[in-house]
Structure formats: C-alpha cells, structure tokens
Amino acid sequence: MTNDPEELFPTPATINDVAAESGVSKGTVSHYISGRVPVSPKTRERIEAAMKKLDYRPTQTARSLNSRKRMAMNRDFTAINSPRLTTVGYVSVDVLATVSRLPETEERLVSTGIETFIGGVAANVASIAAGIGGPWPLNVSILTVVGRDQDSDWALSVLADRRVSVLQAMHPHDGRMTRAIIFVEQDGRHTIVDEPIALADVDVRAFIAKANVTDMPWCLHFEGYVVASQIDVVSEARNKGMVTSMHSAGLDQAWLRNNGDLVLCLFDYVVLSREALA
C-alpha cells in the first residue's frame, strides 16, 4: 500500500491540463465547454480526447452555460406546425427536505433526504406539457424572470433538457433565482419557506404583440400568482387569437371572489384548486 498522498488522492485535471494535452489554448477549451464561441470539428475532437484521457469534468457552472447556449440556439424543440403552449409565471429552485416532523425551536433535526428540484407552477406546467410527446407534440415555452447566478443557469439547463424554451427577462441588477425550502413530514404535510417573488419585469403585452399566431392553436397559460397583475393583458391575448387559461394556485382568494365574473369572461379555461372552489 502506498503512502504517497498524490497516489492516494490524485489531483483532478484542470482546464490548463486539457489545453496542454490537446495542444490548444485555455481560452479555446473554455469556448468549447461553454458553447459561447464555436470551435472547428478537429479542435473539438482533440479537446474531447484530452478530456477523456485526463478524466476531466467541467464544473456545474460551465455545463449549465453550455446548456443555456444550446437552449438559446434551439428556441423551438418540436415541429413548427405543432400547437403551442406558453406559460407565464415563476421558476424557482426548490430545496426539499424529508423529515419525520418539523423541528422545535433551536432543535437540530436530521432529514432522511435533501433534494433540489425546479419549482414554480408555470415551470411545472410547462415541463409536464413538453413531456407529453407522442401523437400530441407541443412547442412549449415559459415567460419568466431569471438571474445571472449559478442557480439560474442550472434551472435553465434543466428546462432545456425537458424541451422547454425559456423566454426570459433578466432580473434587475443581475439578481439571482428565487429559492424555496420545503419540509415534507411523514404524513405528507408540507411546510414552505420561500423568498419574495415578482414578475413585474416581464413584458407580457409586448410578447403578445409580437406573437405570430397561425391556424395552429396557441395557449397562453397564467399561474395564479400573476393573474391579478397581468389581468389587463388577457383580453389582448384573446384578441390576437390565443387560447387563454389560468390555474388558481397562488391567487389571492379575496381577489378571486371580487373578480370571479371577470376571470370567467376572460379565460377560456379556468382550473380551480379545492380552496378556490370553496
């Protein structure tokens, strides 16, 4: 058995090692990993061979940027003559902790599992719709706000993998993705702690004005959190020829009671939660 630390714990290869092995500059390797600048097929083959030989693994940030670039270059993931669905709402990073019960004040509790997921009603609707496939393919997109942080890059890459196009407005001051912590108890009860969320910087009206609506159906779906703030643009979507729908999750129940007739007039489809229906 060796006592040499370098043999026991070998130093991971770096981007500099890949550049030296492939005979190209560090910048060229970086361009290949991020996808921001194209490289020639021969150069790509040399870089990939060097990465494989050195067992080099790009960082999560680099992989996310690469996926983000691919997503921007492939705005529509299915045939142009497929029906379209665009959801309007939030994308968040949800950290889910499974616990036997909620902890008491100042108590430390061990979770049976902590996982990270894409969150947000609009993001979930878009992901499920894009995954239907088969005889009912859809062009699916989400109109939302994202930041320039690693969480935003990760979320964008996950949505791209799910074949969801992200029509994004940048967060003011290059902010970060909204996060939420969800505690799930053994009996299934959920306790959620999330950060304030806002969608004021998404110009839904401009999106509707630019939309090229054809004979193929195009549904504009609003999650409950944004219905009250975006209610004025729903009629414009219908006038443009879009099908309009909404889900009541996140919608203030008092607002819904006071504006129920308006909601039923403006939306072609209204999905109500048990609470809203009551």
Side-chain angles (χ1 to χ4, degrees):
M1 179 180 293
T2 179
N3 291 320
D4 187 342
E6 293 188 359
E7 293 185 25
L8 289 171
F9 306 102
T11 302
T14 67
I15 192 172
N16 291 323
D17 297 328
V18 174
E21 178 68 27
S22 58
V24 300
S25 68
K26 175 182 175 182
T28 300
V29 177
S30 178
H31 292 331
Y32 164 77
I33 294 172
S34 69
R36 288 171 292 186
V37 179
V39 299
S40 69
K42 289 185 177 180
T43 299
R44 182 177 66 250
E45 290 176 3
R46 289 160 59 186
I47 293 173
E48 290 175 349
M51 292 172 63
K52 183 176 181 180
K53 178 180 178 180
L54 299 172
D55 193 26
Y56 174 75
R57 303 179 185 278
T59 63
Q60 178 63 41
T61 301
R63 289 195 298 269
S64 297
L65 287 172
N66 196 21
S67 296
R68 188 171 181 172
K69 179 65 175 180
R70 289 197 303 271
M71 177 194 62
M73 294 172 63
N74 299 281
R75 183 66 71 181
D76 294 316
F77 292 101
T78 56
I80 195 65
N81 62 345
S82 297
R84 293 176 177 266
L85 168 68
T86 299
T87 63
V88 183
Y90 303 109
V91 179
S92 66
V93 174
D94 290 356
V95 179
L96 188 149
T98 304
V99 294
S100 58
R101 56 175 176 78
L102 290 180
E104 302 290 341
T105 303
E106 298 187 355
E107 179 186 13
R108 183 185 182 94
L109 195 65
V110 177
S111 170
T112 57
I114 298 178
E115 300 177 86
T116 303
F117 298 94
I118 291 292
V121 179
N124 291 333
V125 169
S127 295
I128 293 172
I132 292 175
W136 302 286
L138 294 173
N139 278 325
V140 181
S141 55
I142 179 172
L143 192 59
T144 191
V145 169
V146 298
R148 295 188 184 274
D149 60 316
Q150 187 169 335
D151 281 345
S152 295
D153 287 334
W154 174 79
L156 288 172
S157 67
V158 171
L159 288 171
D161 289 340
R162 296 177 181 178
R163 305 179 70 82
V164 175
S165 301
V166 181
L167 314 176
Q168 54 186 288
M170 296 310 299
H171 193 287
H173 312 299
D174 296 339
R176 57 179 174 76
M177 177 74 66
T178 299
R179 294 174 296 188
I181 302 173
I182 305 170
F183 297 96
V184 181
E185 300 176 68
Q186 284 183 334
D187 59 7
R189 291 183 298 176
H190 290 60
T191 301
I192 302 175
V193 180
D194 57 19
E195 297 176 310
I197 47 182
L199 208 69
D201 294 284
V202 172
D203 194 340
V204 182
R205 179 172 278 110
F207 168 78
I208 294 171
K210 294 178 182 178
N212 181 24
V213 182
T214 64
D215 293 336
M216 193 62 66
W218 190 336
C219 179
L220 191 62
H221 177 80
F222 296 79
E223 68 174 36
Y225 290 102
V226 303
V227 168
S229 62
Q230 300 289 346
I231 194 68
D232 292 338
V233 305
V234 179
S235 59
E236 297 177 27
R238 295 189 69 179
N239 292 336
K240 193 70 179 283
M242 291 179 165
V243 177
T244 57
S245 65
M246 61 149 282
H247 194 293
S248 64
L251 181 60
D252 181 78
Q253 302 304 302
W255 186 94
L256 181 59
R257 282 195 299 271
N258 295 332
N259 296 275
D261 291 341
L262 177 63
V263 166
L264 293 175
C265 288
L266 288 178
F267 289 98
D268 296 294
Y269 297 94
V270 176
V271 181
L272 296 177
S273 63
R274 288 188 297 269
E275 295 79 9
L277 186 58

